[in-house]
Amino acid sequence: MTPPRPDIDAFLRRIATKVRSADPAGEMSHDALAAHLNGAGLTTRNGRPWTGAIVEKFLSSPAAQRHLANKQPE
């Protein structure tokens, strides 16, 4: 397994931190999280706005799950 690239790892940490702070109980819908991320001025790695489907895909990725499981401050 290759180690994550620093820029991708930093992106994952930033988004995971924002998701954890917005939804600590994990109860927000994907669309609500997308609206929160867009409202904070955050975009996807490709510079596009977040959608509920993109949030769902992001949250289901193993890399995002590792960062979301890390409860320590980033």
Side-chain angles (χ1 to χ4, degrees), residues 35-56:
H36 178 78
L37 294 170
N38 290 327
L42 298 172
T43 61
T44 65
R45 281 188 9 224
N46 295 328
R48 295 186 177 139
W50 290 90
T51 65
I54 294 172
V55 168
E56 181 177 16

Side-chain angles (χ1 to χ4, degrees), residues 1-55:
M1 183 172 159
T2 60
R5 291 187 355 218
D7 57 332
I8 294 174
D9 197 53
F11 170 80
L12 288 168
R13 276 196 315 273
R14 184 174 64 244
I15 300 302
T17 299
K18 197 64 155 170
V19 167
R20 266 198 317 268
S21 68
D23 188 22
E27 297 175 359
M28 285 178 80
S29 71
H30 296 137
D31 289 329
L33 281 172
H36 178 78
L37 294 170
N38 290 327
L42 298 172
T43 61
T44 65
R45 281 188 9 224
N46 295 328
R48 295 186 177 139
W50 290 90
T51 65
I54 294 172
V55 168

